[in-house]
Amino acid sequence: MSHSVYSENPLLTPRQDHSIAPVSVDLLPQHLAIIMDGNGRWAQEQGAPREEGHKVGSEVVNTIVRTCRRWGIKHLTLYAFSEQNWGRPKSEIKALMKLLDQYLREQRSEILEHRIRLRAIGNLSKLPFWVRTPLQALIKESAQAQGMTLTLALSYGGREEIVKATQKIAQKVQQGQLSPSDITDETIQAHLYAPDQPAPDLIIRTSGEQRLSNFLLWQCAYAEFDFLDIPWPMFNEEALRDVCLRFASRERRFGLTSAQIDAKTQKITSS
Ligand code: IPE
Ligand code: IPE
Ligand code: MG
């Protein structure tokens, strides 16, 4: 059957092959960050408890981590739990922590086998010890992995991250190790939770909300944004493919002019 027959009748469109990236690797975001939102509302719409949405959401995490790894996305950061989420009902927090623990136990072998480097950003000391212990163990075990970096934002707040960085810098100034006029944006970057990590190229949020909710406030300066109406439990490879195609079609100018950007690679050409 010819290609045109497929395109004329969408019902005949063959299932997309998601084993390979929809665009060449240099047009994919090098760092994709996701605000995985809408679990609770999705579950409630089905007449189920909010926790059910988190459970399905964690299964979507498995699929998306696998797909990003296969496609060659080098850094994937997932907003899993915010500082402000500690204000939720105790039972929901407990369910989320249990899912995190389960995720770490069930995905450990896959993470190690595929040389994924696991990291976490956030105020980890607030996590219960029974989650913090396996989390820190797997972070340590995978620290030398050369494959994709998977960063979980846990007990994370962008403002809190900047406040902590400011406190550390102020301490150095007070101790005479640093002069205020030497503080640059690199100084601030160097005191963040993951100082060596490149800034996100693309931040996406599911659930229809169009806000950052305290996510990567410093790092998002030149990120592209994509807000999707579907809730996180309905996110899938197809949606990720569309997101990547939209990202590849954008021109990022970083304050420069179009002429200074290489149309093919989207990289800055020499001035
Ligand atoms: C995102 O889904 C997961 C977390 C914030 C932990 P929500 O739980 O925020 O779901 P909604 O937005 O209330 O539907
Ligand atoms: C942001 O979602 C945090 C995560 C997805 C983990 P929220 O559901 O907490 O954000 P708001 O309350 O809608 O802004
Ligand atoms: Mg929400």
Side-chain angles (χ1 to χ4, degrees):
M1 214 175 279
S2 76
H3 176 76
S4 64
V5 174
Y6 281 123
S7 48
E8 275 160 28
N9 185 346
L11 293 175
L12 291 177
T13 303
R15 253 183 73 82
Q16 288 286 345
D17 177 6
H18 295 300
S19 59
I20 48 163
V23 290
S24 65
V25 168
D26 56 348
L27 288 178
L28 283 172
Q30 199 200 148
H31 182 176
L32 170 66
I34 309 182
I35 304 172
M36 309 182 293
D37 194 28
N39 294 351
R41 281 168 287 165
W42 175 80
Q44 283 170 322
E45 264 167 35
Q46 332 276 312
R50 293 177 57 83
E51 287 75 7
E52 185 58 27
H54 297 314
K55 188 162 164 275
V56 176
S58 75
E59 286 158 20
V60 176
V61 168
N62 290 341
T63 309
I64 297 309
V65 168
R66 213 167 284 150
T67 309
C68 288
R69 174 178 59 70
R70 286 205 195 107
W71 289 0
I73 289 175
K74 292 190 182 64
H75 298 267
L76 174 65
T77 297
L78 301 176
Y79 202 5
F81 194 83
S82 75
E83 278 269 12
Q84 288 65 33
N85 289 151
W86 289 116
R88 291 195 180 192
K90 291 249 173 319
S91 55
E92 184 169 341
I93 296 176
K94 181 93 184 278
L96 283 162
M97 294 299 139
K98 276 190 177 165
L99 280 171
L100 177 58
D101 177 53
Q102 193 181 339
Y103 178 81
L104 294 168
R105 277 187 287 116
E106 290 178 1
Q107 300 306 310
R108 183 181 166 274
S109 58
E110 187 166 331
I111 286 176
L112 295 175
E113 183 190 340
H114 292 289
R115 299 177 302 109
I116 292 177
R117 180 180 176 199
L118 182 72
R119 300 183 87 174
I121 53 173
N123 191 353
L124 305 185
S125 63
K126 278 192 176 175
L127 296 173
F129 78 94
W130 51 271
V131 179
R132 200 171 57 233
T133 309
L135 173 69
Q136 284 175 336
L138 193 48
I139 288 174
K140 207 170 160 196
E141 240 182 321
S142 67
Q144 304 305 322
Q146 304 284 314
M148 182 177 84
T149 299
L150 170 62
T151 305
L152 302 179
L154 292 167
S155 188
Y156 176 86
R159 283 190 172 183
E160 289 79 357
E161 180 176 35
I162 295 169
V163 168
K164 275 184 198 295
T166 309
Q167 287 172 343
K168 287 188 230 159
I169 294 167
Q171 220 161 25
K172 289 188 180 170
V173 170
Q174 195 180 36
Q175 290 164 357
Q177 296 171 23
L178 194 66
S179 137
S181 58
D182 288 339
I183 299 171
T184 61
D185 71 359
E186 283 86 9
T187 318
I188 295 172
Q189 175 70 29
H191 291 84
L192 299 178
Y193 289 125
D196 53 331
Q197 192 149 74
D201 300 296
L202 174 63
I203 298 180
I204 68 176
R205 179 172 189 148
T206 55
S207 92
E209 307 301 352
Q210 303 196 2
R211 53 178 174 257
L212 277 176
S213 302
N214 210 5
F215 190 44
L216 302 178
L217 298 185
W218 170 268
Q219 298 88 336
C220 73
Y222 270 104
E224 295 293 322
F225 290 93
D226 203 335
F227 296 103
L228 288 84
D229 282 332
I230 52 167
W232 177 250
M234 286 180 69
F235 191 76
N236 56 21
E237 292 178 315
E238 194 66 40
L240 183 62
R241 182 179 167 274
D242 292 345
V243 156
C244 289
L245 286 171
R246 283 195 290 273
F247 173 78
S249 72
R250 294 186 187 181
E251 182 185 66
R252 303 175 75 195
R253 290 188 291 278
F254 303 96
L256 307 182
T257 68
S258 246
Q260 292 170 291
I261 307 290
D262 185 299
K264 203 152 156 264
T265 64
Q266 296 278 303
K267 301 272 161 7
I268 299 167
T269 56
S270 56
S271 58

